[in-house]
Amino acid sequence: MSNPPLNQPAPDFSGVSDDGKPVSLSALRGQWVVLYFYPKANSYGCSIEAQKFEAKLPEFEKYGAQVIGISTDSQGGQAAFREKCHLSYPLLPDPDQTICKAYGVMGGLTSLMGVSNRASFVVDPAGTLVYELRSMLHTVHVPGALAELKKRGAARA
């Protein structure tokens, strides 16, 4: 498992969100995408972080960005998390850690080999990975991603 390089194509993925809809990075080409990986649905820090992304969703939308939350929780666990936190953006279950490994993020509550299991990434409309933040602090990912979008002049197409 290695970190994907910045300014290179973001690792593509596809899956089914907690509400049963297909989600793939390639299908989102043409718009900004904010991916955030979190350790465990319904945990205290992850709930706060998810709700902060939801609260700032109008700002992400202003920049034309789709937010996607990813964890190793099951589809049912993700659905319960969405309901509890009143989330409107897709949550993508990654129980086999395929997406986590592609982004160099170890899933679950345990962080192995010094790899953070809380990270956020910004992918530009061309599919290039332009930003990453790896920190277990749940308070830094929303402002970090928004600052990157603002810095890059992201705007609704």
Side-chain angles (χ1 to χ4, degrees), residues 44-58:
Y44 176 75
C46 294
S47 295
I48 291 172
E49 182 180 41
Q51 290 168 327
K52 287 182 184 237
F53 270 103
E54 182 67 30
K56 295 292 186 177
L57 208 53

Side-chain angles (χ1 to χ4, degrees), residues 49 118 133 135-141:
E49 182 180 41
R118 185 182 305 278
L133 174 61
S135 173
M136 285 307 294
L137 296 174
H138 60 78
T139 57
V140 298
H141 294 277

